[in-house]
Amino acid sequence: MPEKSTGSKIIGAAEELFYEHGLRSVSVDMIAERAGVTKRTLYYHFDSKDDLIEAYLQARDNPTIERYRTWLGAADRPMPDRIRHLFSCLAEYAGQPNWRGCGFTRAAIELIDMPGHPAVIMAADHKKRFEAWLARAFEEAGTAGPALLGQQVVTLIEGAIAQILVHRDVSYARVAGQAAALLVAAASTGDIATGEATTRHGTARQKEAV
Amino acid sequence: MPEKSTGSKIIGAAEELFYEHGLRSVSVDMIAERAGVTKRTLYYHFDSKDDLIEAYLQARDNPTIERYRTWLGAADRPMPDRIRHLFSCLAEYAGQPNWRGCGFTRAAIELIDMPGHPAVIMAADHKKRFEAWLARAFEEAGTAGPALLGQQVVTLIEGAIAQILVHRDVSYARVAGQAAALLVAAASTGDIATGEATTRHGTARQKEAV
DNA sequence: GTCTATAATGAGATAGAC
DNA sequence: GTCTATCTCATTATAGAC
């Protein structure tokens, strides 16, 4: 098999460093050193640091969505269970010591004063595609209101990630998973969780545990 | 009334700039200029930029929680309605052109490679107190499982803020509010939204609208 | 307490040889 | 394509006068 190309070595180094320490804290020098090349070589392969940032997110795009696809699992189980499983996997994944939240959201925040930055655009696009994938999974499972449910569940995922990051407490993934499963279950019974009506006569029930 | 002190002028400038552009993008020079003092004067009042960052978050702490307290409103209405109202207010607030998400979460992310930074500690502490306040409100309203519900609702708030920030679309606050109201309503009926049991026999219902 | 002026450092990016 | 060496600029922080 072929030697790893210089370009991909640089991207690999950028991935590790940007994700672990953030975009602004990591210098081009650090990336070059980690990649085992000089800065001049790095600039031969990439035009600028912004270019590297873009490549970093690009490299994470597909793997991230595929990871969630695996977590959701096949359609041979009820959707609420699959969703709970997804959040359960997230909890385990986020418990790893080198986990640092969502690289896309973090990029959007770090580059908040550069709305036109390619990485910011890419982050929004990535999240839209992720939401669309999830909504589609709901649709295929015959869940009512798949688009709305997609919005709600990605919001729970996003919130759980932020809370885990701030508190270093993965339990937020589990409680978010319970919430998501309840929403999905409510929709699965044929109801649509939207609108402004009161829900006080709802009777969604979950057995007590944990 | 007394003239605004130099110290508070500096903090005011730091607040505006840090919140709008982020911690790393804003230089001490910019803050000094905005405050109408020289850099030397700034360093007379604050030891370092990190010190300024801390003061910036400190200044936002109480106002932020009070804002949510107002949004939740008095206890003269059913809790699901109050929660929906809170998210509705968030949607309107986040629609303002100078809104930039949660300063605490953003600080935690920008300073992700400095886990011991005072601002990072303060962010976690702020969010814990916020969650405790919300859980207490549920408790006072007699809702079952107030602590769990507090976790779930803050997770929805956090997620909605992140999504709005990335997509510049306040509708995430509304759908998150619907989800939160449903969770609260489910708990209000005496159920506790926890555990691992399937929820497929739940029948929480919300009228379709919007 | 506030000013002008200046360190001291680290960053992104480039020159030109091989 | 990769190297050594350097440029240019922004940034945090400080010196010393008034």
Side-chain angles (χ1 to χ4, degrees):
Chain A
M1 66 190 173
E3 284 294 312
K4 203 172 178 185
S5 78
T6 304
S8 53
K9 268 197 303 185
I10 295 171
I11 292 183
E15 267 197 83
E16 293 175 22
L17 291 171
F18 280 146
Y19 182 70
E20 180 170 1
H21 302 290
L23 269 29
R24 308 300 255 260
S25 317
V26 171
S27 68
V28 176
D29 300 68
M30 292 165 69
I31 295 171
E33 187 183 356
R34 170 75 65 106
V37 301
T38 64
K39 204 159 43 166
R40 195 65 187 85
T41 300
L42 187 151
Y43 274 106
Y44 174 81
H45 290 274
F46 298 90
D47 285 342
S48 63
K49 182 179 180 179
D50 287 329
D51 200 17
L52 265 176
I53 292 173
E54 206 180 332
Y56 149 65
L57 285 189
Q58 189 71 56
R60 287 185 76 85
D61 192 331
N62 246 312
T64 301
I65 293 184
E66 285 306 314
R67 193 184 312 124
Y68 279 97
R69 194 191 302 275
T70 303
W71 291 349
L72 184 63
D76 55 357
R77 286 189 302 161
M79 204 48 162
D81 290 353
R82 295 172 69 196
I83 286 294
R84 223 186 331 260
H85 182 255
L86 183 150
F87 279 90
S88 174
C89 290
L90 173 61
E92 191 190 326
Y93 190 74
Q96 295 173 332
N98 54 348
W99 182 86
R100 293 287 186 289
C102 173
F104 296 89
T105 303
R106 284 174 50 203
I109 285 178
E110 283 204 77
L111 303 175
I112 200 164
D113 63 332
M114 309 175 74
H117 194 294
V120 174
I121 311 287
M122 192 175 301
D125 183 60
H126 167 86
K127 295 221 167 277
K128 268 298 168 211
R129 275 181 287 114
F130 179 74
E131 183 182 323
W133 159 73
L134 194 57
R136 167 120 197 137
F138 287 132
E139 195 181 2
E140 288 172 352
T143 315
L148 174 71
L149 217 45
Q151 275 194 292
Q152 293 176 322
V153 173
V154 297
T155 301
L156 278 164
I157 292 173
E158 193 74 28
I161 290 173
Q163 294 286 341
I164 297 172
L165 202 56
V166 168
H167 295 303
R168 288 281 147 193
D169 173 5
V170 298
S171 79
Y172 286 94
R174 307 237 173 228
V175 303
Q178 296 305 323
L182 192 145
L183 294 172
V184 174
S188 297
T189 61
D191 301 323
I192 300 181
T194 182
E196 310 228 342
T198 174
T199 64
R200 272 183 296 153
H201 44 84
T203 59
R205 172 176 290 277
Q206 283 189 280
K207 211 172 64 186
E208 190 168 1
V210 175
Chain B
M1 64 191 175
E3 283 294 313
K4 200 172 178 184
S5 77
T6 304
S8 54
K9 267 196 304 184
I10 295 171
I11 292 182
E15 266 197 84
E16 293 175 21
L17 291 171
F18 280 146
Y19 182 71
E20 180 171 1
H21 302 290
L23 270 27
R24 308 297 255 262
S25 318
V26 171
S27 67
V28 176
D29 299 68
M30 292 166 69
I31 295 172
E33 186 182 358
R34 170 76 65 105
V37 301
T38 64
K39 208 161 35 168
R40 193 67 187 84
T41 300
L42 186 151
Y43 275 107
Y44 175 83
H45 290 274
F46 298 90
D47 285 342
S48 62
K49 183 179 178 179
D50 287 329
D51 200 18
L52 265 176
I53 291 173
E54 205 179 334
Y56 149 66
L57 285 190
Q58 189 72 55
R60 285 185 76 86
D61 193 330
N62 245 313
T64 300
I65 292 184
E66 285 308 314
R67 193 183 313 123
Y68 279 96
R69 194 190 301 277
T70 303
W71 290 350
L72 185 63
D76 55 358
R77 285 189 302 160
M79 203 48 163
D81 289 353
R82 294 172 69 198
I83 286 294
R84 223 185 331 261
H85 183 254
L86 182 150
F87 279 90
S88 174
C89 290
L90 172 61
E92 191 190 330
Y93 190 74
Q96 296 174 330
N98 53 348
W99 181 86
R100 292 288 186 288
C102 172
F104 296 90
T105 304
R106 283 174 50 203
I109 285 178
E110 282 204 77
L111 304 175
I112 201 164
D113 62 333
M114 308 175 74
H117 194 292
V120 174
I121 311 286
M122 192 176 299
D125 184 61
H126 166 86
K127 296 223 167 274
K128 268 296 169 213
R129 276 181 286 113
F130 179 74
E131 183 182 323
W133 159 73
L134 194 57
R136 167 122 196 134
F138 286 132
E139 194 180 4
E140 288 171 354
T143 314
L148 174 71
L149 216 47
Q151 276 194 291
Q152 292 176 324
V153 173
V154 296
T155 301
L156 277 164
I157 293 173
E158 194 73 28
I161 290 174
Q163 293 286 340
I164 297 171
L165 202 57
V166 168
H167 295 304
R168 289 281 148 193
D169 173 5
V170 298
S171 78
Y172 285 94
R174 308 239 172 225
V175 302
Q178 296 305 323
L182 191 145
L183 293 172
V184 174
S188 297
T189 59
D191 301 321
I192 299 180
T194 181
E196 311 226 342
T198 174
T199 64
R200 272 183 297 152
H201 43 85
T203 59
R205 172 175 290 276
Q206 282 188 282
K207 210 172 66 184
E208 190 168 1
V210 173

